[in-house]
C-alpha cells in the first residue's frame, strides 16, 4: 500500500491529475510542462539522455530505442535516483554525438558554468531540450 501511494505521489508531481490540485503546489506549472513535453517526446527516436533524471518522469512517455538517465554522483542520488549513469558534474561521460536527443529539465539553474554545460550537451547530441524556470517561459531548445 505504501509503495502504491509513493508511486501515485510521484506521478502527481510530474503528470498531475485532479488529486494534484491538493498535493502539488506547482500543479498548473507542472500540468503545462507535462503537456508541452508530451508533444515533443512523441516524435523522438533513437538514443535519448535525460540529464538530471531524478525519478525519470519522462521515460514512460518515450518511444525511443534507449533511454539513459544521468545524475550527479553523490550519496543522495546514489540512494534515491533512478539514474543509469553517475558523473562528477563537469564533463558528461559520453562520446561526441552519442545521443540523438538530450533532455535537461530544471538542471541548468544548478550548474555553475552554464556555458560549458550547454557546450557539453551540444557535444553529445545534435538536438536537445533545456527547460529552466524563468518569468517568461520554461524552455529552450537547440538544434
Amino acid at each position: 500500500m505504501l509503495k502504491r501511494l509513493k508511486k501515485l505521489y510521484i506521478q502527481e508531481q510530474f503528470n498531475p491529475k485532479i488529486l494534484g490540485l491538493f498535493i502539488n503546489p506547482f500543479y498548473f506549472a507542472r500540468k503545462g510542462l507535462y503537456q508541452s513535453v508530451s508533444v515533443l517526446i512523441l516524435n523522438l527516436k533513437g538514443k535519448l539522455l535525460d540529464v538530471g533524471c531524478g525519478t525519470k518522469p519522462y521515460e514512460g512517455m518515450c518511444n525511443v530505442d534507449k533511454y539513459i538517465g544521468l545524475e550527479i554522483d553523490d550519496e543522495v542520488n546514489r540512494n534515491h535516483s533512478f539514474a543509469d549513469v553517475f558523473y562528477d558534474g563537469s564533463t558528461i561521460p559520453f562520446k561526441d554525438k552519442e545521443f540523438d536527443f538530450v533532455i535537461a529539465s530544471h538542471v541548468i539553474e544548478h550548474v555553475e558554468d552554464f556555458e560549458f554545460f550547454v557546450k557539453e550537451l551540444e557535444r553529445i547530441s545534435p538536438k536537445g531540450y533545456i527547460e529552466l524556470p524563468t518569468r517568461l517561459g520554461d524552455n529552450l531548445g537547440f538544434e
Side-chain angles (χ1 to χ4, degrees):
M1 173 77 161
L2 190 57
K3 271 188 173 182
R4 289 180 64 200
L5 286 174
K6 186 176 181 178
K7 184 177 180 179
L8 178 62
Y9 176 79
I10 289 171
Q11 287 173 338
E12 288 295 325
Q13 297 307 303
F14 293 98
N15 180 14
K17 306 278 192 283
I18 193 73
L19 179 62
L21 280 169
F22 303 101
I23 66 171
N24 186 344
F26 306 106
Y27 174 84
F28 293 104
R30 287 290 181 178
K31 188 76 174 167
L33 167 65
Y34 183 84
Q35 290 169 342
S36 296
V37 171
S38 295
V39 172
L40 170 74
I41 281 183
L42 287 176
N43 299 316
L44 299 181
K45 304 283 184 242
K47 193 173 178 183
L48 182 140
L49 179 67
D50 185 352
V51 179
C53 66
T55 59
K56 292 184 174 177
Y58 308 119
E59 185 175 27
M61 300 164 61
C62 294
N63 188 24
V64 293
D65 298 329
K66 190 144 189 165
Y67 185 106
I68 295 180
L70 178 70
E71 271 292 355
I72 296 288
D73 192 2
D74 65 19
E75 187 176 343
V76 172
N77 284 331
R78 286 274 178 187
N79 292 327
H80 300 289
S81 178
F82 290 53
D84 302 297
V85 177
F86 294 92
Y87 82 119
D88 64 6
S90 183
T91 303
I92 297 176
F94 295 105
K95 298 175 192 168
D96 293 359
K97 305 300 181 209
E98 186 168 338
F99 293 89
D100 298 298
F101 201 86
V102 63
I103 294 175
S105 178
H106 288 261
V107 173
I108 202 166
E109 66 269 24
H110 304 284
V111 173
E112 287 183 34
D113 186 349
F114 65 89
E115 287 181 36
F116 178 78
F117 179 73
V118 170
K119 285 179 183 174
E120 276 294 283
L121 297 180
E122 291 173 329
R123 178 184 66 78
I124 62 169
S125 177
K127 295 182 182 180
Y129 175 81
I130 301 170
E131 179 192 345
L132 59 153
T134 69
R135 293 179 186 200
L136 300 175
D138 271 2
N139 59 54
L140 169 72
F142 67 85
E143 219 175 303

